[in-house]
């Protein structure tokens, strides 16, 4: 009995040490940014900053656009999800659902360029309407553009969450509704709505949080001071006005706002995508009527066009650019190299931090005697994975910008700081990828590994790595793709300190070189696609128990 106990301790201590390292590393990184913010001079404090009418206007617009974006995203997702659930035999249904995963993993700049190509002044929609005699009838900038962009990125997320809930409804419910002769309206009222009502608050809260902390879309489509959110105002205070005191007050205000929203979200039921797209056939009889099938088909076609056309526009416009010339430019090569190096660094950091965090929490969960210290460590590690929601990218970048500026050397350390910020952004997703696979694997191999007396390194190399290398590669690829498409942290540090592909694309957009921007966006999209393919799960052998992480 002594050897298994000794072996168990020998396995548990390194895992707990790794978890403690994660906690200290994240706390040190975030704490440095917050300390730099709190060290900034605030004449009169945060209350006086809030009393500023400009700040109140920015706060009001931030919450208002997030509310409208959430309302539109969830409101439009309701009929789309209902139609998808009602039509299991819809041609291309599986591809439409997979298509809805694309905007969630797409670099925001690429989606923005696609929307501009569709709805901009020289976009396809305006060209068609102008040909019908209307002079420039649609403006993509201002509040309208922000709402359209947020719906483009969040409608698929809301649809998948709602559809996942509908696909968990027992088959007996649909048989009963058919035997009672329910109309589509009655089916929605008595079967679908009670299920959706439990999911909508969590889905709406998540989307509201994403819209409150949105940066790139508001920066591109905002259209001036009247359409500025807190995150964009922080960027403007540092990069244009160079007013660190104002940036500090706005950053602290952002933390307060996100903290209140997170507290409210904790009271709502969580919405999760449990892996729709399974191809299951549901005994839905309410969708067989010709008029219902026609209405559902038109609705799903419209949703597909709303997603496909902007993405297709990016491909078409990108191919019209001189890609060979762009690839040969020093600016592209420098930006691509910087982006890949930063992405690789942030991806490795996010994956290692996620693995250490998951391993520590798994060891604590399986321990026979869990004292208060271990339980607190487990709770702290769970909170760390969501810390980026409480302290958004703009806040971290602002704090580190002020800290490095005080040292007088921003350019040398900017790539490392951006990589760290991007690693924190990707950490929640990496944990989500690794945790189910790790827990399932350890549950089946823990006793055998202990009985064989394997060391930590032997267990990692011979037992864990052959099984976990696929989810680890998925986490790494996803974290790298997320870093490659990020503009928030890079924008605050400025192109003179660090130039990445998103920063180069935004610079070309600002100098009205839209063709070059489209070509660069296509190249960035291809790089992200390659990463997605490299990290995609292969084969069907390990499909059981996997999540849909898009």
């Amino acid at each position: 009995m002594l050897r298994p106990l000794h072996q168990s301790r020998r396995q548990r201590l390194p895992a707990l040490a790794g978890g403690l390292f994660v906690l200290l590393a994240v706390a040190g990184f975030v704490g440095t940014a917050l300390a730099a913010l709190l060290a900034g001079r605030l004449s009169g404090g945060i209350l006086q900053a809030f009393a500023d009418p400009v700040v109140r206007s920015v706060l009001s617009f931030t919450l208002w656009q997030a509310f409208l974006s959430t309302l539109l995203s969830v409101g439009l997702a309701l009929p789309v999800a209902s139609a998808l659930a009602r039509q299991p035999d819809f041609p291309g249904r599986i591809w439409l659902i997979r298509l809805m995963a694309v905007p969630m993993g797409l670099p925001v700049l690429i989606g923005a360029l696609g929307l501009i190509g569709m709805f901009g002044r020289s976009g396809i929609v305006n060209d068609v309407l102008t040909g019908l005699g209307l002079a420039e009838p649609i403006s993509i900038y201002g509040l309208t553009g922000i709402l359209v962009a947020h719906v483009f990125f969040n409608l698929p997320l809301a649809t998948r969450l709602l559809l996942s809930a509908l696909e968990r409804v027992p088959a007996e419910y649909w048989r009963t509704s058919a035997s009672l002769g329910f109309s589509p309206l009655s089916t929605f009222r008595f079967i679908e709505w009670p299920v959706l009502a439990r999911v909508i608050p969590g889905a709406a809260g998540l989307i509201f949080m994403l819209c409150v902390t949105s940066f790139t879309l508001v920066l591109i489509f905002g259209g001036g001071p009247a359409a500025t959110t807190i995150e964009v105002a922080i960027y403007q205070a540092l990069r244009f006005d160079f007013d660190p005191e104002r940036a500090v007050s706005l950053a602290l205000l952002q933390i307060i706002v996100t903290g209140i929203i997170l507290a409210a979200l904790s009271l709502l039921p969580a919405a999760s995508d449990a892996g729709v797209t399974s191809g299951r056939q549901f005994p839905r009889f309410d969708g067989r009527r010709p008029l219902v099938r026609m209405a559902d088909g038109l609705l799903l076609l419209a949703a597909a066009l709303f997603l496909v056309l902007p993405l297709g526009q990016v491909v078409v416009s990108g191919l019209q650019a001189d890609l060979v010339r762009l690839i040969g430019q020093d600016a592209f090569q420098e930006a691509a190299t910087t982006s890949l190096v930063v992405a690789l660094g942030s991806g490795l950091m996010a994956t290692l931090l996620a693995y250490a965090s998951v391993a520590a929490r798994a060891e604590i969960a399986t321990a026979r005697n869990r004292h208060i210290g271990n339980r607190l460590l487990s709770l702290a590690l769970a909170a760390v994975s969501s810390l980026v929601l409480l302290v958004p990218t703009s806040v971290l970048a602002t704090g580190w910008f002020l800290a490095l500026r005080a040292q007088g050397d921003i350019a040398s350390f900017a790539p490392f700081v951006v990589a760290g910020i991007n690693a924190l952004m990707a950490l929640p997703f990496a944990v989500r990828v690794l945790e189910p696979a790790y827990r399932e694997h350890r549950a089946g191999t823990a006793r055998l590994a202990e009985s064989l007396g394997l060391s930590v390194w032997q267990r990692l190399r011979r037992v864990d790595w052959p099984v976990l290398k696929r989810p680890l590669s998925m986490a790494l690829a996803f974290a790298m793709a997320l870093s490659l498409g990020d503009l928030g942290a890079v924008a605050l540090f400025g192109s003179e300190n660090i130039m990445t592909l998103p920063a180069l694309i935004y610079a070309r957009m600002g100098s009205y070189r839209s063709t070059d921007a489209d070509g660069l966006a296509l190249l960035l999209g291809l790089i992200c696609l390659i990463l997605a393919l490299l990290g995609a799960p292969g084969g069907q052998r390990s499909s059981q128990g996997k999540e849909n992480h898009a």
Side-chain angles (χ1 to χ4, degrees), residues 320-368:
Q320 292 176 354
D322 190 347
L323 297 180
V324 176
R325 178 183 61 84
L326 289 175
I327 294 174
Q329 290 180 348
D330 292 339
F332 169 80
Q333 295 175 6
E334 178 185 351
T337 302
T338 302
S339 293
L340 289 173
V341 170
V342 170
L344 180 60
S346 64
L348 289 174
M349 281 191 287
T351 305
L352 292 175
L353 290 175
Y355 180 83
S357 176
V358 168
R361 293 187 63 199
E363 290 294 340
I364 293 173
T366 57
R368 294 180 180 178

Short mmCIF file of all heavy atoms in Angstrom, two decimals, residues 320-368:
data_model
loop_
_atom_site.label_atom_id
_atom_site.label_comp_id
_atom_site.label_asym_id
_atom_site.label_seq_id
_atom_site.Cartn_x
_atom_site.Cartn_y
_atom_site.Cartn_z
N GLN A 320 -8.26 39.24 -57.22
CA GLN A 320 -8.03 40.34 -58.16
C GLN A 320 -6.78 41.13 -57.84
O GLN A 320 -6.28 41.89 -58.68
CB GLN A 320 -9.25 41.27 -58.17
CG GLN A 320 -10.50 40.64 -58.76
CD GLN A 320 -11.71 41.55 -58.67
OE1 GLN A 320 -11.65 42.63 -58.08
NE2 GLN A 320 -12.81 41.12 -59.27
N ALA A 321 -6.27 40.99 -56.61
CA ALA A 321 -5.03 41.66 -56.24
C ALA A 321 -3.84 40.91 -56.82
O ALA A 321 -3.92 39.74 -57.18
CB ALA A 321 -4.91 41.75 -54.72
N ASP A 322 -2.73 41.62 -56.90
CA ASP A 322 -1.49 41.00 -57.38
C ASP A 322 -0.82 40.30 -56.20
O ASP A 322 0.03 40.85 -55.51
CB ASP A 322 -0.57 42.08 -57.96
CG ASP A 322 0.63 41.49 -58.70
OD1 ASP A 322 0.86 40.27 -58.56
OD2 ASP A 322 1.32 42.24 -59.41
N LEU A 323 -1.20 39.04 -56.00
CA LEU A 323 -0.73 38.32 -54.83
C LEU A 323 0.77 38.08 -54.87
O LEU A 323 1.44 38.12 -53.82
CB LEU A 323 -1.48 36.98 -54.71
CG LEU A 323 -3.00 37.08 -54.49
CD1 LEU A 323 -3.60 35.68 -54.40
CD2 LEU A 323 -3.30 37.86 -53.23
N VAL A 324 1.30 37.84 -56.06
CA VAL A 324 2.75 37.61 -56.17
C VAL A 324 3.51 38.86 -55.74
O VAL A 324 4.52 38.78 -55.03
CB VAL A 324 3.11 37.20 -57.61
CG1 VAL A 324 4.62 37.06 -57.76
CG2 VAL A 324 2.42 35.89 -57.99
N ARG A 325 3.04 40.02 -56.18
CA ARG A 325 3.69 41.28 -55.78
C ARG A 325 3.59 41.50 -54.29
O ARG A 325 4.56 41.91 -53.64
CB ARG A 325 3.05 42.45 -56.53
CG ARG A 325 3.63 43.83 -56.15
CD ARG A 325 2.91 44.94 -56.88
NE ARG A 325 1.50 44.97 -56.55
CZ ARG A 325 0.99 45.58 -55.47
NH1 ARG A 325 1.80 46.18 -54.61
NH2 ARG A 325 -0.31 45.56 -55.24
N LEU A 326 2.41 41.22 -53.71
CA LEU A 326 2.23 41.41 -52.28
C LEU A 326 3.16 40.50 -51.48
O LEU A 326 3.77 40.92 -50.50
CB LEU A 326 0.78 41.15 -51.90
CG LEU A 326 -0.25 42.18 -52.35
CD1 LEU A 326 -1.66 41.72 -52.01
CD2 LEU A 326 0.03 43.54 -51.71
N ILE A 327 3.25 39.24 -51.91
CA ILE A 327 4.10 38.29 -51.19
C ILE A 327 5.57 38.71 -51.27
O ILE A 327 6.34 38.50 -50.33
CB ILE A 327 3.90 36.86 -51.74
CG1 ILE A 327 2.48 36.39 -51.45
CG2 ILE A 327 4.92 35.89 -51.16
CD1 ILE A 327 2.13 35.05 -52.07
N GLY A 328 5.96 39.32 -52.36
CA GLY A 328 7.34 39.73 -52.53
C GLY A 328 7.71 41.01 -51.80
O GLY A 328 8.91 41.35 -51.72
N GLN A 329 6.74 41.72 -51.27
CA GLN A 329 7.03 42.98 -50.59
C GLN A 329 7.66 42.72 -49.22
O GLN A 329 7.29 41.79 -48.51
CB GLN A 329 5.76 43.81 -50.42
CG GLN A 329 5.21 44.37 -51.72
CD GLN A 329 3.94 45.19 -51.49
OE1 GLN A 329 3.35 45.15 -50.41
NE2 GLN A 329 3.52 45.92 -52.52
N ASP A 330 8.62 43.58 -48.87
CA ASP A 330 9.27 43.46 -47.57
C ASP A 330 8.27 43.64 -46.43
O ASP A 330 8.39 42.98 -45.39
CB ASP A 330 10.39 44.49 -47.45
CG ASP A 330 11.55 44.21 -48.39
OD1 ASP A 330 11.68 43.04 -48.83
OD2 ASP A 330 12.30 45.15 -48.69
N ALA A 331 7.29 44.54 -46.63
CA ALA A 331 6.31 44.80 -45.58
C ALA A 331 5.51 43.54 -45.27
O ALA A 331 5.26 43.22 -44.09
CB ALA A 331 5.37 45.93 -46.00
N PHE A 332 5.11 42.79 -46.32
CA PHE A 332 4.35 41.57 -46.09
C PHE A 332 5.21 40.51 -45.40
O PHE A 332 4.77 39.85 -44.45
CB PHE A 332 3.82 41.01 -47.40
CG PHE A 332 3.25 39.62 -47.28
CD1 PHE A 332 1.97 39.44 -46.77
CD2 PHE A 332 4.00 38.50 -47.62
CE1 PHE A 332 1.43 38.16 -46.63
CE2 PHE A 332 3.47 37.23 -47.49
CZ PHE A 332 2.19 37.07 -46.99
N GLN A 333 6.42 40.34 -45.88
CA GLN A 333 7.29 39.32 -45.30
C GLN A 333 7.61 39.61 -43.84
O GLN A 333 7.61 38.71 -43.00
CB GLN A 333 8.58 39.22 -46.13
CG GLN A 333 8.33 38.72 -47.55
CD GLN A 333 9.58 38.73 -48.40
OE1 GLN A 333 10.68 39.01 -47.90
NE2 GLN A 333 9.45 38.45 -49.69
N GLU A 334 7.85 40.89 -43.54
CA GLU A 334 8.12 41.25 -42.15
C GLU A 334 6.89 41.04 -41.28
O GLU A 334 6.98 40.47 -40.18
CB GLU A 334 8.57 42.71 -42.08
CG GLU A 334 8.83 43.20 -40.66
CD GLU A 334 9.16 44.68 -40.61
OE1 GLU A 334 9.36 45.28 -41.69
OE2 GLU A 334 9.21 45.23 -39.50
N ALA A 335 5.72 41.47 -41.78
CA ALA A 335 4.49 41.33 -41.00
C ALA A 335 4.12 39.86 -40.84
O ALA A 335 3.68 39.43 -39.76
CB ALA A 335 3.35 42.09 -41.68
N ALA A 336 4.29 39.06 -41.91
CA ALA A 336 3.95 37.64 -41.83
C ALA A 336 4.87 36.92 -40.86
O ALA A 336 4.42 36.08 -40.06
CB ALA A 336 4.03 37.01 -43.21
N THR A 337 6.16 37.24 -40.91
CA THR A 337 7.11 36.61 -39.98
C THR A 337 6.78 36.97 -38.54
O THR A 337 6.75 36.09 -37.65
CB THR A 337 8.55 37.05 -40.31
OG1 THR A 337 8.86 36.69 -41.65
CG2 THR A 337 9.54 36.39 -39.37
N THR A 338 6.51 38.26 -38.30
CA THR A 338 6.15 38.69 -36.94
C THR A 338 4.87 38.00 -36.48
O THR A 338 4.78 37.52 -35.35
CB THR A 338 5.97 40.21 -36.89
OG1 THR A 338 7.19 40.84 -37.32
CG2 THR A 338 5.63 40.67 -35.49
N SER A 339 3.87 37.94 -37.36
CA SER A 339 2.60 37.31 -36.99
C SER A 339 2.78 35.84 -36.64
O SER A 339 2.23 35.35 -35.65
CB SER A 339 1.59 37.45 -38.14
OG SER A 339 1.22 38.79 -38.34
N LEU A 340 3.56 35.12 -37.46
CA LEU A 340 3.75 33.69 -37.22
C LEU A 340 4.55 33.44 -35.95
O LEU A 340 4.23 32.51 -35.19
CB LEU A 340 4.44 33.05 -38.43
CG LEU A 340 3.58 32.94 -39.69
CD1 LEU A 340 4.42 32.44 -40.86
CD2 LEU A 340 2.39 32.01 -39.46
N VAL A 341 5.58 34.25 -35.72
CA VAL A 341 6.38 34.08 -34.50
C VAL A 341 5.53 34.37 -33.27
O VAL A 341 5.54 33.61 -32.28
CB VAL A 341 7.62 34.99 -34.55
CG1 VAL A 341 8.33 35.00 -33.19
CG2 VAL A 341 8.58 34.52 -35.63
N VAL A 342 4.79 35.49 -33.30
CA VAL A 342 3.93 35.83 -32.17
C VAL A 342 2.84 34.78 -31.99
O VAL A 342 2.53 34.36 -30.86
CB VAL A 342 3.31 37.23 -32.38
CG1 VAL A 342 2.22 37.50 -31.35
CG2 VAL A 342 4.38 38.31 -32.30
N ALA A 343 2.26 34.30 -33.10
CA ALA A 343 1.20 33.29 -33.01
C ALA A 343 1.74 31.98 -32.44
O ALA A 343 1.08 31.33 -31.62
CB ALA A 343 0.58 33.06 -34.38
N LEU A 344 2.94 31.58 -32.88
CA LEU A 344 3.52 30.35 -32.35
C LEU A 344 3.81 30.48 -30.87
O LEU A 344 3.52 29.56 -30.08
CB LEU A 344 4.80 30.01 -33.11
CG LEU A 344 5.54 28.74 -32.67
CD1 LEU A 344 4.64 27.52 -32.83
CD2 LEU A 344 6.84 28.56 -33.44
N GLY A 345 4.36 31.63 -30.47
CA GLY A 345 4.64 31.84 -29.05
C GLY A 345 3.38 31.85 -28.21
O GLY A 345 3.31 31.19 -27.17
N SER A 346 2.36 32.57 -28.67
CA SER A 346 1.11 32.62 -27.90
C SER A 346 0.41 31.27 -27.91
O SER A 346 -0.18 30.86 -26.89
CB SER A 346 0.19 33.69 -28.47
OG SER A 346 -0.21 33.37 -29.80
N GLY A 347 0.48 30.55 -29.03
CA GLY A 347 -0.14 29.23 -29.09
C GLY A 347 0.51 28.24 -28.15
O GLY A 347 -0.18 27.48 -27.45
N LEU A 348 1.84 28.24 -28.11
CA LEU A 348 2.55 27.34 -27.19
C LEU A 348 2.25 27.70 -25.74
O LEU A 348 2.03 26.82 -24.90
CB LEU A 348 4.05 27.40 -27.46
CG LEU A 348 4.53 26.75 -28.76
CD1 LEU A 348 6.01 27.02 -28.98
CD2 LEU A 348 4.25 25.26 -28.76
N MET A 349 2.26 29.00 -25.43
CA MET A 349 1.96 29.41 -24.06
C MET A 349 0.55 29.02 -23.66
O MET A 349 0.33 28.47 -22.56
CB MET A 349 2.15 30.93 -23.92
CG MET A 349 3.58 31.37 -23.79
SD MET A 349 3.73 33.11 -23.32
CE MET A 349 3.27 33.90 -24.85
N ALA A 350 -0.43 29.29 -24.53
CA ALA A 350 -1.82 28.95 -24.20
C ALA A 350 -1.99 27.45 -24.02
O ALA A 350 -2.67 26.99 -23.09
CB ALA A 350 -2.75 29.46 -25.31
N THR A 351 -1.37 26.65 -24.89
CA THR A 351 -1.51 25.19 -24.80
C THR A 351 -0.86 24.64 -23.55
O THR A 351 -1.43 23.80 -22.84
CB THR A 351 -0.89 24.53 -26.05
OG1 THR A 351 -1.50 25.08 -27.23
CG2 THR A 351 -1.12 23.03 -26.03
N LEU A 352 0.35 25.11 -23.23
CA LEU A 352 1.04 24.63 -22.03
C LEU A 352 0.32 25.06 -20.75
O LEU A 352 0.18 24.27 -19.81
CB LEU A 352 2.48 25.14 -22.02
CG LEU A 352 3.40 24.55 -23.10
CD1 LEU A 352 4.77 25.23 -23.06
CD2 LEU A 352 3.55 23.06 -22.93
N LEU A 353 -0.15 26.31 -20.72
CA LEU A 353 -0.89 26.78 -19.55
C LEU A 353 -2.19 26.00 -19.39
O LEU A 353 -2.57 25.62 -18.27
CB LEU A 353 -1.19 28.27 -19.67
CG LEU A 353 0.00 29.23 -19.55
CD1 LEU A 353 -0.45 30.67 -19.82
CD2 LEU A 353 0.65 29.13 -18.17
N ALA A 354 -2.86 25.73 -20.51
CA ALA A 354 -4.11 24.98 -20.44
C ALA A 354 -3.85 23.55 -19.97
O ALA A 354 -4.60 23.01 -19.14
CB ALA A 354 -4.80 24.97 -21.81
N TYR A 355 -2.80 22.93 -20.47
CA TYR A 355 -2.49 21.55 -20.07
C TYR A 355 -2.16 21.48 -18.59
O TYR A 355 -2.66 20.61 -17.86
CB TYR A 355 -1.31 21.02 -20.90
CG TYR A 355 -0.93 19.61 -20.53
CD1 TYR A 355 -1.61 18.53 -21.07
CD2 TYR A 355 0.11 19.35 -19.63
CE1 TYR A 355 -1.26 17.22 -20.73
CE2 TYR A 355 0.46 18.06 -19.29
CZ TYR A 355 -0.23 17.00 -19.84
OH TYR A 355 0.11 15.72 -19.50
N ALA A 356 -1.32 22.41 -18.12
CA ALA A 356 -0.96 22.41 -16.70
C ALA A 356 -2.18 22.67 -15.83
O ALA A 356 -2.36 22.04 -14.77
CB ALA A 356 0.11 23.46 -16.43
N SER A 357 -3.05 23.57 -16.25
CA SER A 357 -4.26 23.88 -15.48
C SER A 357 -5.20 22.68 -15.43
O SER A 357 -5.72 22.32 -14.36
CB SER A 357 -4.97 25.09 -16.09
OG SER A 357 -6.18 25.36 -15.44
N VAL A 358 -5.43 22.05 -16.59
CA VAL A 358 -6.32 20.89 -16.65
C VAL A 358 -5.76 19.74 -15.83
O VAL A 358 -6.49 19.04 -15.10
CB VAL A 358 -6.53 20.48 -18.12
CG1 VAL A 358 -7.20 19.12 -18.20
CG2 VAL A 358 -7.37 21.53 -18.83
N ALA A 359 -4.44 19.51 -15.92
CA ALA A 359 -3.82 18.41 -15.16
C ALA A 359 -3.95 18.63 -13.66
O ALA A 359 -4.26 17.69 -12.91
CB ALA A 359 -2.35 18.28 -15.56
N ALA A 360 -3.72 19.84 -13.22
CA ALA A 360 -3.82 20.14 -11.80
C ALA A 360 -5.25 19.95 -11.30
O ALA A 360 -5.48 19.35 -10.24
CB ALA A 360 -3.34 21.56 -11.52
N ARG A 361 -6.22 20.45 -12.03
CA ARG A 361 -7.61 20.32 -11.60
C ARG A 361 -8.06 18.86 -11.61
O ARG A 361 -8.84 18.43 -10.75
CB ARG A 361 -8.51 21.16 -12.50
CG ARG A 361 -8.29 22.66 -12.38
CD ARG A 361 -9.31 23.43 -13.16
NE ARG A 361 -10.64 23.20 -12.63
CZ ARG A 361 -11.76 23.43 -13.30
NH1 ARG A 361 -11.71 23.87 -14.54
NH2 ARG A 361 -12.93 23.20 -12.75
N ALA A 362 -7.56 18.09 -12.59
CA ALA A 362 -7.92 16.66 -12.63
C ALA A 362 -7.33 15.92 -11.45
O ALA A 362 -8.00 15.05 -10.85
CB ALA A 362 -7.44 16.05 -13.95
N GLU A 363 -6.09 16.22 -11.08
CA GLU A 363 -5.47 15.56 -9.93
C GLU A 363 -6.21 15.91 -8.64
O GLU A 363 -6.40 15.07 -7.76
CB GLU A 363 -4.00 15.95 -9.83
CG GLU A 363 -3.12 15.39 -10.93
CD GLU A 363 -3.02 13.87 -10.85
OE1 GLU A 363 -3.30 13.30 -9.79
OE2 GLU A 363 -2.68 13.25 -11.89
N ILE A 364 -6.61 17.18 -8.50
CA ILE A 364 -7.34 17.60 -7.31
C ILE A 364 -8.70 16.91 -7.25
O ILE A 364 -9.15 16.47 -6.18
CB ILE A 364 -7.50 19.13 -7.29
CG1 ILE A 364 -6.13 19.80 -7.13
CG2 ILE A 364 -8.44 19.57 -6.17
CD1 ILE A 364 -6.17 21.31 -7.28
N ALA A 365 -9.34 16.78 -8.39
CA ALA A 365 -10.68 16.16 -8.42
C ALA A 365 -10.64 14.69 -8.05
O ALA A 365 -11.60 14.16 -7.49
CB ALA A 365 -11.30 16.33 -9.80
N THR A 366 -9.52 14.00 -8.36
CA THR A 366 -9.43 12.56 -8.07
C THR A 366 -8.74 12.25 -6.75
O THR A 366 -8.63 11.08 -6.39
CB THR A 366 -8.66 11.86 -9.21
OG1 THR A 366 -7.37 12.46 -9.35
CG2 THR A 366 -9.42 11.98 -10.52
N ALA A 367 -8.28 13.27 -6.05
CA ALA A 367 -7.60 13.04 -4.77
C ALA A 367 -8.59 12.55 -3.72
O ALA A 367 -9.74 12.98 -3.67
CB ALA A 367 -6.91 14.32 -4.29
N ARG A 368 -8.15 11.63 -2.88
CA ARG A 368 -9.03 11.11 -1.83
C ARG A 368 -9.26 12.13 -0.73
O ARG A 368 -10.37 12.28 -0.24
CB ARG A 368 -8.41 9.84 -1.24
CG ARG A 368 -8.33 8.68 -2.22
CD ARG A 368 -7.71 7.45 -1.58
NE ARG A 368 -7.63 6.34 -2.52
CZ ARG A 368 -7.09 5.18 -2.23
NH1 ARG A 368 -6.57 4.96 -1.02
NH2 ARG A 368 -7.05 4.21 -3.13
#
